[in-house]
């Protein structure tokens, strides 16, 4: 089983404003030439289920269209979530830990999981379960907000060993986006 993240950050490392707003990212998407998605469709076609945090799920529910089609989506939440009827066959709430969820999803036959949401990504990282992370830096500084890696949530206080990664791909575009694909080096992290 492979577990991957695909996420955008400002050049100062934020994934959203403190209130969860991604207006800066929506504005940046207007810079993209028609048909350009910076590899997202290729990535999305390789995964067979998603794991989201509750806040990310609630943000995505506000989009015009549900972006995940019929792929199974597991929302990590200790509080539970309200799933709209139209999504009840593909969206499921879970309060399992990343390692327990990985086991459950493997038993269900999933082979490539896409994790999304800052807290979820950090929880899979701190558990040593994230195999690959694609980070696309957007040419804007928003100065404060929710950081991808530096957070005061419970996962940042865990005493985890250093995690080593190998850069497997790096791309840039004339409209200023820079993307890096990092794979966790298992032998360094043992």
């Amino acid at each position: 089983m492979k577990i991957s993240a695909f996420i955008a950050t400002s050049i100062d490392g934020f994934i959203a404003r403190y209130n969860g707003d991604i207006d800066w990212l929506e504005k940046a998407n207007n810079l993209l030439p028609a048909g350009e998605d910076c590899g997202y469709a290729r990535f999305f076609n390789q995964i067979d289920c998603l794991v989201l945090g509750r806040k990310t799920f609630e943000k995505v529910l506000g989009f015009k269209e549900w972006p995940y089609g019929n792929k199974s989506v597991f929302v990590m939440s200790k509080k539970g979530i309200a799933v709209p009827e139209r999504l009840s066959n593909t969206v499921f709430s879970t309060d399992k830990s990343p390692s327990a969820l990985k086991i459950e999803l493997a038993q269900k036959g999933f082979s490539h999981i896409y994790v999304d949401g800052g807290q979820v990504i950090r929880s899979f990282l701190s558990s040593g379960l994230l195999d690959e992370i694609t980070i696309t830096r957007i040419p804007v500084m928003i100065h404060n907000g929710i950081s991808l890696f530096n957070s005061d949530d419970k996962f940042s206080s865990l005493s985890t060993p250093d995690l080593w990664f190998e850069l497997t791909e790096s791309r840039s575009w004339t409209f200023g986006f820079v993307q890096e694909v990092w794979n966790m080096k298992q032998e360094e992290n043992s």
Side-chain angles (χ1 to χ4, degrees):
M1 171 175 283
K2 182 176 181 178
I3 302 176
S4 302
F6 192 106
I7 195 159
T9 71
S10 61
I11 59 174
D12 48 353
F14 297 106
I15 57 175
R17 297 191 191 281
Y18 282 121
N19 65 0
D21 197 355
I22 55 171
D23 60 315
W24 58 274
L25 181 57
E26 293 163 353
K27 184 176 180 180
N29 283 333
N30 293 331
L31 300 173
L32 298 175
E36 178 62 70
D37 71 353
C38 300
Y40 182 77
R42 178 178 51 116
F43 168 79
F44 190 78
N45 289 333
Q46 295 172 359
I47 60 111
D48 51 12
C49 77
L50 297 92
V51 174
L52 307 178
R54 180 186 50 80
K55 291 177 186 175
T56 301
F57 172 67
E58 289 171 353
K59 185 68 169 176
V60 171
L61 278 179
F63 293 175
K64 279 184 183 179
E65 295 179 24
W66 179 247
Y68 307 127
N70 291 324
K71 292 195 182 197
S72 294
V73 176
F74 297 84
V75 181
M76 294 181 78
S77 174
K78 297 290 184 202
K79 300 176 184 178
I81 57 164
V83 178
E85 179 63 31
R86 65 186 167 86
L87 300 175
S88 63
N89 291 329
T90 57
V91 176
F92 311 94
S93 181
T94 180
D95 64 357
K96 289 188 166 62
S97 69
S99 54
L101 185 56
K102 177 183 178 181
I103 291 167
E104 178 185 320
L105 296 178
Q107 290 171 345
K108 290 179 183 280
F110 295 111
S111 61
H112 192 173
I113 302 170
Y114 170 16
V115 296
D116 197 13
Q119 194 170 1
V120 168
I121 291 171
R122 287 188 299 276
S123 71
F124 274 81
L125 273 170
S126 68
S127 299
L129 298 175
L130 194 64
D131 300 301
E132 177 184 87
I133 185 166
T134 301
I135 302 171
T136 305
R137 296 206 185 271
I138 308 302
V140 62
M141 294 184 87
I142 64 171
H143 307 291
N144 58 50
I146 301 167
S147 173
L148 177 56
F149 298 117
N150 301 323
S151 175
D152 59 0
D153 66 32
K154 64 182 178 179
F155 301 107
S156 63
S157 63
L158 296 176
S159 57
T160 56
D162 294 345
L163 298 173
W164 290 87
F165 288 81
E166 176 182 16
L167 181 65
T168 58
E169 187 177 337
S170 180
R171 300 169 49 182
S172 63
W173 292 267
T174 57
F175 44 86
F177 289 25
V178 177
Q179 185 177 84
E180 299 168 331
V181 180
W182 297 91
N183 284 357
M184 188 179 284
K185 293 176 74 172
Q186 295 301 329
E187 64 277 358
E188 297 286 340
N189 298 314
S190 308

